[in-house]
Structure formats: C-alpha cells, structure tokens
Amino acid sequence: MKLRAPFYPRNEHFAIDLPGAQAVFTTRRGGHSSGPYTSLNLGRLTDDDPAAVARNRDTLEGQLPAKLTFVRQVHGRAVDRVDEPSAERARRARPDELSRADGQVTGVPGLALAALTADCLPVAVGGDGAVAMLHAGWRGLRDGVIASGVSALRELGVRGPLGAAVGPGAGGCCYQVGPEVHEAFDDYPAAHLNGGRLDLKAIAAEQLQRSGVDEVHDLGLCTICADRSLLFSHRRDGGITGRQAGVAWLS
C-alpha cells in the first residue's frame, strides 16, 4: 500500500522519524499466532496462546534497536517515566504486576516504549532528548493523556521542537458513538460527523497542537475498515481479536 509521507515501510510495519526519535506502528502480519489472533498478536490479555504471544514479542523486538517495555493500560491519563531498572522489572512482570498507566516516557536510549491497541490510537511524541508513547482511546483523550505525555517530555528537559505521529486506530469514517461520548468533546466541533460518528484522530491532533507539538502526522489508517489481514480491530471483530502496537525509542 502507498504510505503517506513521512511514513515509510519497515519490515511488515509502518515507521516514521520524529525529532530525536523513531516510531513503528505494527501490523498483524509476520507473527506466529493463529485463528482470530493471526498472526503478530502482541496482547497478553487475549485468549491467544501465551507462548505464541511471547514469540511474537520476541520477533518484533528482534527487528528493533531497543528493548520493548509495556505498562498495564487502563484508559486513563497517567504517564510513567521509564528508566533501565523499571524497564527490566516490567519485562519480568506478569500482566497484573505491571504499572497501570496509558503512557510511557523516557530519556534513556535503548528502550522501546510500547502501547497496545486494537481501535484506540497509538500516539508517539518525540523531541531532542526524550520520547513518549501514548495509548489514547476516547476516555484517555477526554481525561488528558496527551497533555500528560507532552508535559512529561518537557519535565525530562526537552526544550526544542516536538513532533508526533498518530498510528492506526478507529477513524471518523467508522467510529459511531453515543451522545455521552459526543458530549465529552463539545469543544471539538469539527470532530462530530454525520451519522453519530466521531473523529478521534482529529481530536488527538488538536490536543497535540494545543499542547505545543510543532508537527503532527497521521498515518491515515482506520482499524475498523482496513484490510482484515492488515490490522486488528476490537469493534470490527466483536472483541475477539489481537493487539498491534505503537513503539517509539530514541534515535
């Protein structure tokens, strides 16, 4: 498929260079799982074979210049600061032992921050000296996970320009929601579309800009209507599906 610049292919996935950082948004291709989780399912909290998920994570990590680190995502706004000791603890932890957060930020080279998604947005933000990876569903966007991530980067000392990339997620073409979700975003009038649809990517882009991010790039892929062989979608697949990831590290 033809990618929007400045995104480019990396193995089976999509990559982008950001200020001081790189990011990859994985597809469901190139892994070892089967059935509804075919094939690169990275989610341990699915009903997939745990050995297959572990093998998938090892496969992805082998394609990266950094070690993967995860948190337990809870659809909130908390962003964890990750260093080598905390990353090593996370690598040994069971899912219920992971820190509960929806973002990670680091100024340490060699750590690949990962956010698992299947319709929510993976958002990478990079600047000179630090990088963040955020998991942004509608609740996280409502509660301020993007502002939290950008603030965490500034707290780590990033003073220069920031760039962000929004990966595959539910698009305004397909994401129909009820009035309570629309009401949560009354101050984003352009994001409310005909047919009860809501454009989460437009909301994320505006929040990034409001937070002082200089450049925002959208991969432009909707998980719900994309080729089923390309991306997992919780909504499209009735909840029985895998997880792809957004991954970001310092370059």
Side-chain angles (χ1 to χ4, degrees), residues 30-34 37-41 48 51-53 55-57 59:
H32 308 282
S33 297
S34 59
Y37 310 106
T38 303
S39 65
L40 191 74
N41 172 33
D48 195 4
V53 176
R55 192 177 175 195
N56 291 338
R57 290 188 175 193
T59 295

Side-chain angles (χ1 to χ4, degrees), residues 40-66:
L40 191 74
N41 172 33
L42 302 169
R44 291 199 292 177
L45 295 179
T46 63
D47 288 332
D48 195 4
D49 177 5
V53 176
R55 192 177 175 195
N56 291 338
R57 290 188 175 193
D58 287 344
T59 295
L60 174 61
E61 189 171 84
Q63 299 170 353
L64 304 174

Side-chain angles (χ1 to χ4, degrees), residues 1-197:
M1 61 174 289
K2 184 175 177 61
L3 293 179
R4 295 181 179 181
F7 294 92
Y8 57 90
R10 183 183 177 119
N11 299 310
E12 297 281 357
H13 315 307
F14 311 113
I16 186 171
D17 298 328
L18 297 171
Q22 291 181 294
V24 164
F25 299 102
T26 70
T27 72
R28 65 185 296 174
R29 296 174 178 171
H32 308 282
S33 297
S34 59
Y37 310 106
T38 303
S39 65
L40 191 74
N41 172 33
L42 302 169
R44 291 199 292 177
L45 295 179
T46 63
D47 288 332
D48 195 4
D49 177 5
V53 176
R55 192 177 175 195
N56 291 338
R57 290 188 175 193
D58 287 344
T59 295
L60 174 61
E61 189 171 84
Q63 299 170 353
L64 304 174
K67 294 183 179 180
L68 289 167
T69 180
F70 296 87
V71 290
R72 178 72 176 267
Q73 297 167 187
V74 292
H75 298 278
R77 60 168 293 162
V79 174
D80 275 6
R81 184 179 296 189
V82 182
D83 56 19
E84 289 181 352
S86 64
E88 189 56 36
R89 288 194 297 272
R91 290 172 66 82
R92 297 193 303 266
R94 298 190 303 269
D96 59 351
E97 296 173 332
L98 289 170
S99 175
R100 293 176 180 265
D102 284 271
Q104 300 179 81
V105 62
T106 192
V108 179
L111 301 180
L113 313 178
L116 297 173
T117 64
D119 282 329
C120 294
L121 306 180
V123 180
V125 189
D128 186 16
V131 63
M133 175 55 70
L134 310 173
H135 166 256
W138 77 265
R139 292 178 179 84
L141 291 172
R142 176 197 63 192
D143 293 343
V145 69
I146 283 179
S148 292
V150 174
S151 293
L153 286 171
R154 296 304 189 192
E155 290 168 6
L156 280 177
V158 178
R159 295 291 175 261
L162 294 174
V166 180
C173 49
C174 299
Y175 189 58
Q176 293 182 311
V177 296
E180 73 285 356
V181 181
H182 280 282
E183 289 169 7
F185 300 101
D186 280 343
D187 52 344
Y188 299 87
H192 302 269
L193 306 174
N194 292 335
R197 293 173 292 125

